[in-house]
Amino acid sequence: MSSGRTHREAIEQRLRDALQARANSADWEHLRPAAPPIRPRRLFSASRRTVLVWSGLAAAAACALLLLVLTTGASDGPAPPAATPSHSVSPPTSQAPASPATSAKP
């Protein structure tokens, strides 16, 4: 058991030495300064946003005007009678044959 423990301690010591050597190899020359913070990009620029707002307002005004015109143009009185058709409609003729009981008399 003691040989297993000493073997494990030897491995741990080698790992510690390797990590220490790696830490000592990094010098201030290898480090770079932190990057300055970057602002998040905007989806629309100010001019596009302005055009979008004005377009939306114009569309809303057009819809309101259309709704106003459609509701005030309808009268509350009774509807006038329908116009008569310009061509005459004849009733359909029956194509069914007469029954033998009514057409034949002895």
Side-chain angles (χ1 to χ4, degrees), residues 60-87:
C63 289
L65 185 63
L66 181 66
L67 183 65
L68 182 67
V69 167
L70 290 178
T71 57
T72 57
S75 65
D76 291 333
T84 57
S86 61
H87 62 285

Side-chain angles (χ1 to χ4, degrees), residues 48-60:
R48 285 186 184 178
R49 191 176 317 132
T50 303
V51 168
L52 185 65
V53 167
W54 282 110
S55 299
L57 288 174

